[in-house]
Amino acid sequence: MSGTTTVNEPATHDSTPPGERADLLESLAKHRHFLRFTTRDLTDEQAGRRTTASQLCLGGLIKHVTSVERAWAQFILDGPSAMPDFTAMTEADWARRADEFRMLPGETLEGVLLDYADVARRTDELVATLPDLDATQPLPKAPWSEPGARWSARRVLMHIIAETAQHAGHADIIRESLDGAKTMG
């Protein structure tokens, strides 16, 4: 029947193939799972421990991915105003940003994972309900952004997926260095 939407597919107003949103969400869910899985059975202390030459720890990686996903999802809706002007950040701003890469006193792994789950739920809702994955926004000011560049909602979602996958790989190395546990293998 023309004009009907099945229960399993989001209603769309753009030319996005019906399965594309499902594919994006499935890919993001898979990489989120691998990232979260690296923290199974850990204490708060272990989640905050640096185990490699890197400054990264498992809890900090999840905090960072949460922050990145939250900011980019908001960018889809509000454009560059959802992000800081990275070209104008002070040393204090960079120090605060560095805190998202480590577990701070009073933070718990459970709390970090709950925050990540909340952000993931909101992003998933956005992907399912966004009217147009082709809608673009100008990129925020940053040394790594091409001046005048615009990203579509689709491109932002692919960036979130790539960021999550990259950090899931980092997390796997950190976890293996911590106690020999692996995500796969």
Side-chain angles (χ1 to χ4, degrees), residues 23 52 64 76 78 81 92 94 96 104 141 145 153 166-167 171:
D23 288 346
T52 66
H64 171 67
I76 290 171
D78 298 334
S81 67
W94 286 110
R96 277 190 297 281
L104 299 176
K141 289 183 181 178
S145 293
Q166 178 180 7
H167 289 310

Side-chain angles (χ1 to χ4, degrees), residues 20 23-25 27-29 31-32 35 64-76 83 86 97 100-101 116 123 127 133 137 139-140 142 144-146 150-168 170:
E20 182 181 10
D23 288 346
L24 290 166
L25 289 172
S27 181
L28 188 51
H31 295 299
R32 285 176 181 146
L35 178 60
H64 171 67
V65 171
T66 301
S67 174
V68 166
E69 184 170 325
R70 179 185 291 120
W72 280 110
Q74 199 61 48
F75 169 85
I76 290 171
M83 304 231 185
F86 289 98
R97 183 169 162 82
E100 77 182 28
F101 291 95
Y116 188 39
T123 300
V127 172
L133 292 179
Q137 298 278 9
L139 287 179
W144 49 85
S145 293
E146 180 183 332
R150 300 178 67 87
W151 277 9
S152 68
R154 178 182 294 101
R155 176 66 183 94
V156 170
L157 293 168
M158 291 187 317
H159 177 72
I160 292 170
I161 292 166
E163 179 94 7
T164 305
Q166 178 180 7
H167 289 310
H170 292 148

Side-chain angles (χ1 to χ4, degrees), residues 5 8 21 24 31 38 56 61 67 71 88 110 120 123 130 141 146 148 157 181:
T5 303
N8 295 331
R21 290 171 195 262
L24 290 166
H31 295 299
T38 63
L56 301 173
L61 271 174
S67 174
E110 179 182 23
T123 300
L130 196 64
K141 289 183 181 178
E146 180 183 332
L157 293 168

Side-chain angles (χ1 to χ4, degrees), residues 82-104:
M83 304 231 185
D85 176 348
F86 289 98
T87 63
M89 286 179 61
T90 66
E91 199 170 302
D93 293 331
W94 286 110
R96 277 190 297 281
R97 183 169 162 82
D99 283 345
E100 77 182 28
F101 291 95
R102 59 182 159 259
M103 297 280 289
L104 299 176

